[in-house]
Amino acid sequence: MSEVEVSGLFPVPFMRVSDLIDGDVVDALKQRFESGATETNVKTDLLSHSTVLNPDASDSFSGLSDIIRPHLVEFGGLLFGEELDWLIKEMWINRLEPGGFQTVHSHANSFISGVIYLTRSHPSARTTFYRGMGGREFAFANEHKGVRMGPFNAPKWAVPETGPGDMVLFPSFMLHEVPKNEGAVRMTVAFNAIPKRLKSWDYELNFG
Ligand SMILES: [Fe+2]
């Protein structure tokens, strides 16, 4: 009898941490944003951001980086095979009004990006990841009602329901968006993290 085994080659890690922060911290972050400086998104005025802050230098986020860091070390271990020293270099709050959206993007100059949800996300406005957006080659697809979508052929994937206090981590190169929000106001904290160094045998790249 022959045996059949299918493996995922070169998979991309995605981490979800439930209840990273409790309700009091969620409320405090939401309040800080209401009273803090805001900037409107360049593509839509239904999305606004807090000013980008260094989390270690900001009262608003004090303590948050310490809670996040162990998860960065674990996730970074999957990406780089080593327990590295991780630095959250920037952190900001997003507020998405009903009807608002965030266009497809990735985060430059960063290795791990994360989102902490401060409100429930309406099913229409779940963070959605894309496999790719094409290059300069012709592309072929087999997408119709009869197709079974799975990890090997799906062009995109939406994060299942998240609640206030939940966090997700993903490699910063991953393309993602928030589709049009057909629910209530949606608030998140976003951040970018870098390791203090990467090493290629005797050569070290230092960041931060
Ligand atoms: Fe993003």
Side-chain angles (χ1 to χ4, degrees), residues 83-174:
E83 275 195 19
L84 294 166
D85 202 359
W86 284 85
L87 176 76
I88 299 174
K89 67 188 180 82
E90 59 219 353
M91 189 175 262
W92 65 97
I93 296 181
N94 300 303
R95 181 188 167 97
L96 191 64
E97 303 293 334
F101 57 89
Q102 169 71 289
T103 53
V104 180
H105 63 283
S106 60
H107 294 206
N109 300 334
S110 171
F111 290 88
I112 301 177
S113 295
V115 175
I116 299 172
Y117 297 87
L118 299 180
T119 57
R120 205 159 278 288
S121 292
H122 186 269
S124 60
R126 291 180 185 165
T127 311
T128 302
F129 291 87
Y130 285 84
R131 185 188 296 274
M133 299 300 280
R136 291 179 60 84
E137 308 84 24
F138 291 102
F140 299 90
N142 186 47
E143 294 173 12
H144 56 87
K145 276 187 184 161
V147 165
R148 293 182 311 277
M149 282 298 172
F152 301 118
N153 66 334
K156 63 179 183 177
W157 179 78
V159 176
E161 187 175 348
T162 46
D166 293 349
M167 176 177 77
V168 298
L169 296 179
F170 52 93
S172 303
F173 63 77
M174 288 291 289

